[in-house]
Amino acid sequence: MFSSTDTLLMHRACALARRGEGLVEPNPMVGAVVASADGKVLGEGWHKHFGSAHAEVHALAIAGQAARNGTLYVTLEPCCHTGKTPPCTDAILSAGIRRVVIAATDPFPAVAGQGISILRKAGLQVDVGLLQDEAVRLTAPFRMFVTAKRPWMIAKWAMTLDGYLVLPKPENGGSGTSQQHEWISSGTSRAVVHDLRRRADAIVIGIQTAVADDPLLTARPAGPRPLIRVVLDRHARLSLSSRLVQTAQEFPLLIAVGPDASEGRLEQLQSKGCEIWRSSTAHSSHMLLELVQEFGRRQMTNVLVEGGAHILESFHDAGLIDEVWAFLAPKLLQEPESSMSIRKILSNTSIEAIDQTGGDLFFRGLVRHDSLSR
């Protein structure tokens, strides 16, 4: 059904789609290419910003009249409803396109096969499934948001060869945290993490990490949307003098507390500019589920979990980790406290990529949810 030219042009459409990463959410990344019958590229485009014209519209506009009787390659089924922009199916039909090659269908209920049906009923040749796996992976956060009403959850950590996520305290009595004493990962690895933060909607840590590290948790430089910093703090123990609280007026800070948190303490935190979210339950996994559902209500698409081993394991055991970014530093300590928790997560992870970032090894992969016990 598909030629080598079809495959080449759909690869190009996928590459274009990635340019929208971090800019289009909660919409999906989408790329499109318009070509002549002999495979000459006439126009190309991608979804550039949330609420702006879709990829197909950009590509068709560049192609102009030359698009008539041409082929449109698009990574996601064209929309057929009016949202922030008119239906892409209308633009395709108006342009006189003869054939449409679609990588993957759209799970959004207002589309979900209807865009394909409209084009076929209008007499266009519509071929579906070219590079489907790649296109589905591109739109994984969007698909999670649409089907499960929650964001795509990314677990990130840096660790030594023998399993430490935090370096031990120095003998001189300093804090001993990876931020204030010595970083586990390299500068290159940390730059990769900041790039990930820039496209995330929120970053989550536990109270133990907040107390031990006194982190800032910002993206440097900042991304296109405010990054909401979230601390899991069941009893509202976060210090008013912490860097997180002290910068709450400038960078959003959400403190997730349990039902028994002190009202007086919450008022103090709120007076500093912190937002409080209170769970209806003190049960750890239930609290996490409620919090992630709250993220979904806020239309968050990508959430980064950067807590310690306990928080990472808790999210994993609740079935709430979808992707892993792990940095393995060439350092050896002794008596690892967290290696079993991390080993559990990695055993359920299908590695997608292994790279070097500075002197570290960087692992990226997807978590296999069917292997988790619910």
Side-chain angles (χ1 to χ4, degrees):
M1 179 191 297
F2 301 114
S3 68
S4 58
T5 298
D6 290 337
T7 301
L8 179 66
L9 294 176
M10 188 60 82
H11 273 302
R12 175 59 181 165
C14 289
L16 290 166
R18 291 189 183 90
R19 297 186 181 184
E21 189 172 52
L23 302 171
V24 302
E25 291 80 0
N27 282 354
M29 295 183 287
V30 181
V33 174
V34 177
S36 62
D38 61 358
K40 178 183 178 182
V41 174
L42 305 171
E44 57 184 33
W46 65 95
H47 188 29
K48 298 181 179 180
H49 299 280
F50 176 70
S52 68
H54 291 182
E56 303 94 312
V57 173
H58 285 298
L60 290 168
I62 293 173
Q65 291 299 315
R68 187 161 299 278
N69 295 320
T71 297
L72 170 68
Y73 298 86
V74 62
T75 57
L76 188 68
E77 177 182 5
C79 68
C80 54
H81 66 292
T82 300
K84 292 187 177 295
T85 60
C88 288
T89 49
D90 288 356
I92 294 168
L93 294 176
S94 296
I97 288 290
R98 177 185 60 83
R99 180 187 178 218
V100 181
V101 181
I102 299 169
T105 57
D106 189 335
F108 189 64
V111 185
Q114 297 176 67
I116 293 170
S117 178
I118 287 171
L119 295 175
R120 284 177 172 162
K121 286 179 179 178
L124 278 67
Q125 178 184 342
V126 181
D127 300 320
V128 182
L130 178 60
L131 301 187
Q132 178 175 284
D133 289 348
E134 184 173 350
V136 167
R137 179 66 184 90
L138 273 171
T139 53
F142 169 73
R143 291 173 184 275
M144 182 64 74
F145 180 73
V146 168
T147 59
K149 303 296 187 290
R150 72 164 177 86
W152 185 254
M153 305 292 293
I154 304 170
K156 169 266 166 184
W157 68 84
M159 63 188 294
T160 62
L161 291 173
D162 47 358
Y164 275 93
L165 272 69
V166 177
L167 297 179
K169 292 183 179 181
E171 294 182 1
N172 62 12
S175 69
T177 66
S178 58
Q179 283 84 346
Q180 297 175 350
H181 168 52
E182 180 184 355
W183 289 97
I184 287 180
S185 56
S186 68
T188 303
S189 296
R190 297 196 296 275
V192 170
V193 171
H194 277 282
D195 191 57
L196 174 60
R197 287 182 181 182
R198 277 193 287 276
R199 64 178 176 85
D201 296 291
I203 178 171
V204 182
I205 63 169
I207 183 61
Q208 297 295 343
T209 298
V211 170
D213 291 3
D214 192 23
L216 195 56
L217 294 184
T218 56
R220 298 183 289 276
R225 296 185 305 281
L227 175 66
I228 298 179
R229 304 170 301 167
V230 182
V231 180
L232 300 175
D233 186 10
R234 191 177 306 170
H235 301 294
R237 296 192 291 120
L238 185 62
S239 171
L240 298 179
S241 63
S242 66
R243 293 204 298 168
L244 287 166
V245 174
Q246 289 297 310
T247 57
Q249 300 281 2
E250 183 179 2
F251 305 109
L253 176 63
L254 177 69
I255 303 177
V257 303
D260 300 326
S262 164
E263 291 294 340
R265 183 65 175 169
L266 298 184
E267 290 176 3
Q268 289 180 319
L269 289 166
Q270 288 173 316
S271 71
K272 295 290 188 179
C274 306
E275 181 184 359
I276 303 298
W277 174 86
R278 186 185 291 238
S279 173
S280 66
T281 176
H283 190 280
S284 178
S285 62
H286 294 166
M287 182 177 178
L288 294 183
L289 287 167
E290 283 189 359
L291 179 60
V292 170
Q293 288 168 357
E294 175 64 19
F295 291 157
R297 283 190 288 271
R298 296 180 183 220
Q299 292 197 314
M300 294 184 182
T301 314
N302 292 280
V303 170
L304 181 59
V305 181
E306 279 201 21
H310 174 70
I311 292 297
L312 291 166
E313 183 178 17
S314 296
F315 271 97
H316 174 267
D317 289 350
L320 295 174
I321 295 297
D322 304 299
E323 186 174 345
V324 164
W325 290 49
F327 299 85
L328 182 61
K331 299 176 181 179
L332 284 170
L333 299 173
Q334 58 184 346
E335 299 178 2
E337 300 173 352
S338 56
S339 59
M340 291 303 297
S341 299
I342 297 307
R343 190 178 303 154
K344 179 194 293 185
I345 300 175
L346 286 176
S347 68
N348 286 327
T349 301
S350 298
I351 301 299
E352 285 190 313
I354 300 176
D355 202 352
Q356 277 195 300
T357 50
D360 306 329
L361 279 179
F362 166 44
F363 299 83
R364 179 178 178 178
L366 299 180
V367 175
R368 297 186 293 272
H369 286 289
D370 56 358
S371 62
L372 303 183
S373 56
R374 301 303 179 107

